[in-house]
Amino acid sequence: MSQGDLELFLAARDEKPFHARQVLQWIYQRDVSDFDEMTDLSKSLRARLKEDATITPPEVQSRHDGEDGCVKWLFSSGFGQAVETVFIPEADRGTLCISSQVGCALDCSFCATGAQGFNRNLTSAEIIGQVRHAIRELPRRENGEPAISNVVFMGMGEPLANYRSIVPVLDLLVSDYSYGLSRRRVTVSTSGIVPHIDKLSKDCNVALAVSLHAPNDELRDSIVPINKLHPISTLLDACWRYAADHSNRFITFEYVMLRGVNDSLEHANQLATLLKGKPAKVNLIPFNPFSGTEFLRSSAETIRHFQERLRKRGLVATTRKTRGDDIDAACGQLAGKVSDRVKTRLGRKKVGQKLHENKDIRMSSI
Ligand code: SAH
Ligand code: SF4
């Protein structure tokens, strides 16, 4: 529950709404999971909460530590399936990449999560539980700051297709009574569910990343199918509205580099024309291959040339470093554990298992 929801919950029980702040602080700042330990609440309120509410941490299936400091957790999501959460430490920040759905219905052709199909939405509790668990396990930085400074919805699933669950989570991430993260350090990544971009703009002032991946509709239709519903011009209009609503803060456009598909200099020119003069920055993502995919990663040289062309044409452009390769934690590789009973685009075999069997196809970071 967000602070607002918790206040309503308390009011409906004839309790003072301000107790919501105390409860949030106990859960998220003092990591308490037992109402009896919330000693500044009256005994009767504690008893009431125990009767009507639960604080249930997600069930951890496994933890994997990478050589580069990345950590991946697998959380059970029922029926033999799991979702993944990844921590990526860097010199100046620590980013937690969280999942919002078990699988994804949007079926982007280069994505391991899309290949497993859609199973179900995660609840708000299952999503914020990923953050709470990671904070509990990660030591503070050397300078005493918390390990996690940034949270990105770039794990499994399409967050804007699970809108009702993510809004309370965003609230908890930024609220002073829970994690108090800066709004600029919480990023929702979407493949472009336009009506919900507009909704998000009204409901939560957080950073927005958009998975563009192609500079024209013909190509984007073929690799990001939601484009057929919300084509590029409609999507970009929503992006500029979002930016305008938030003091023209930059929107990040993610662009996965697929060899021979979307990585030519002509594509870079088209992309520059689309974004020139707008509050936009481009983040090139080297494609992370997984077994069964027909795509290949663009060469390091192609990616460099593409980035240079964007910069020459006046755009801010960076290339994402691939991290967590040794623990299958790289972007787009989060497939979780797929039950044999689930029909997937890659056939009936477990996607997670296939990834594991094909470690040799993974390339080192550029
Ligand atoms: N559904 C949301 C967020 C999760 S995916 C979205 O699509 O934005 C996070 C990012 O990883 C997206 O930009 C997605 O396109 C990208 N991605 C998916 N599969 C990938 C792969 N195999 N290699 C590199 N990036 C990938
Ligand atoms: Fe879903 Fe994002 Fe993967 Fe597309 S890239 S299938 S929207 S998780």
Side-chain angles (χ1 to χ4, degrees):
M1 276 187 242
S2 64
Q3 185 182 335
D5 291 341
L6 193 48
E7 284 170 355
L8 290 174
F9 175 92
L10 291 167
R13 286 158 182 77
D14 291 329
E15 297 285 351
K16 296 272 181 312
F18 74 83
H19 292 307
R21 291 181 240 156
Q22 290 162 288
V23 175
L24 291 187
Q25 284 173 317
W26 279 112
I27 298 174
Y28 298 107
Q29 297 180 356
R30 302 192 204 172
D31 195 22
V32 160
S33 297
D34 182 348
F35 292 114
D36 282 333
E37 288 177 40
M38 301 183 181
T39 46
D40 57 1
L41 302 180
S42 69
K43 280 213 169 122
S44 63
L45 175 55
R46 280 184 255 166
R48 195 70 201 268
L49 287 169
K50 261 175 90 168
E51 219 165 89
D52 291 354
T54 54
I55 304 168
T56 313
E59 191 189 320
V60 187
Q61 215 169 67
S62 55
R63 170 180 164 149
H64 310 263
D65 287 74
E67 278 165 16
D68 58 2
C70 287
V71 183
K72 179 177 86 170
W73 293 269
L74 228 62
F75 295 100
S76 302
S77 53
F79 303 103
Q81 302 204 313
V83 293
E84 307 189 2
T85 304
V86 177
F87 174 68
I88 307 141
E90 286 171 279
D92 58 341
R93 71 181 108 173
T95 302
L96 193 71
C97 179
I98 59 176
S99 294
S100 56
Q101 297 182 310
V102 188
C104 182
L106 298 190
D107 202 24
C108 301
S109 52
F110 49 83
C111 173
T113 305
Q116 80 177 52
F118 175 69
N119 187 270
R120 70 171 175 89
N121 281 329
L122 292 177
T123 63
S124 303
E126 288 172 313
I127 302 171
I128 199 70
Q130 298 169 49
V131 183
R132 191 162 176 254
H133 183 82
I135 288 177
R136 184 179 299 163
E137 289 208 348
L138 295 168
R140 284 183 169 257
R141 296 171 77 87
E142 273 172 17
N143 62 10
E145 305 247 316
I148 296 170
S149 57
N150 295 55
V151 173
V152 296
F153 283 75
M154 293 184 188
M156 296 166 68
E158 165 55 50
L160 293 191
N162 187 10
Y163 194 79
R164 271 155 59 120
S165 294
I166 69 154
V167 169
V169 173
L170 294 171
D171 187 77
L172 291 171
L173 289 171
V174 301
S175 160
D176 284 342
Y177 300 104
S178 40
Y179 292 132
L181 294 178
S182 148
R183 291 177 182 277
R184 281 171 294 112
R185 291 171 174 268
V186 175
T187 302
V188 170
S189 174
T190 179
S191 60
I193 301 188
V194 167
H196 286 176
I197 294 178
D198 285 321
K199 253 168 103 62
L200 186 72
S201 190
K202 308 269 170 305
D203 292 338
C204 316
N205 173 12
V206 293
L208 183 68
V210 171
S211 295
L212 193 58
H213 304 317
N216 61 65
D217 282 324
E218 195 188 353
L219 181 54
R220 194 164 191 267
D221 279 352
S222 71
I223 56 177
V224 183
I226 190 79
N227 196 66
K228 292 179 198 149
L229 200 58
H230 306 299
I232 292 176
S233 60
T234 316
L235 173 59
L236 291 183
D237 283 348
C239 291
W240 311 142
R241 284 196 294 276
Y242 193 94
D245 282 352
H246 303 113
S247 4
N248 254 357
R249 192 195 296 153
F250 272 42
I251 291 177
T252 303
F253 289 91
E254 295 156 283
Y255 195 99
V256 62
M257 295 296 287
L258 304 167
R259 187 185 298 179
V261 175
N262 64 354
D263 62 352
S264 72
L265 291 181
E266 181 46 32
H267 290 125
N269 288 336
Q270 288 178 14
L271 185 60
T273 305
L274 281 181
L275 304 181
K276 183 85 201 290
K278 300 291 188 186
K281 54 186 173 190
V282 178
N283 194 207
L284 303 175
I285 313 176
F287 171 62
N288 285 306
F290 54 95
S291 180
T293 176
E294 68 267 40
F295 294 109
L296 295 170
R297 179 186 291 182
S298 308
S299 71
E301 204 190 355
T302 303
I303 298 176
R304 206 177 54 245
H305 287 151
F306 197 95
Q307 180 178 341
E308 277 165 11
R309 176 60 59 93
L310 294 179
R311 286 185 172 167
K312 248 191 221 140
R313 296 279 306 263
L315 293 191
V316 181
T318 50
T319 298
R320 186 175 300 172
K321 259 175 80 182
T322 296
R323 301 279 305 268
D325 266 8
D326 55 334
I327 52 169
D328 283 340
C331 194
Q333 286 182 336
L334 306 186
K337 211 171 148 201
V338 185
S339 140
D340 276 347
R341 278 168 290 128
V342 177
K343 197 169 181 323
T344 74
R345 198 171 70 225
L346 300 179
R348 284 178 170 270
K349 214 172 162 195
K350 287 179 184 175
V351 175
Q353 177 187 336
K354 286 176 129 195
L355 285 169
H356 190 71
E357 285 166 5
N358 282 278
K359 271 196 181 296
D360 50 312
I361 61 161
R362 219 154 302 125
M363 296 174 224
S364 60
S365 59
I366 59 163

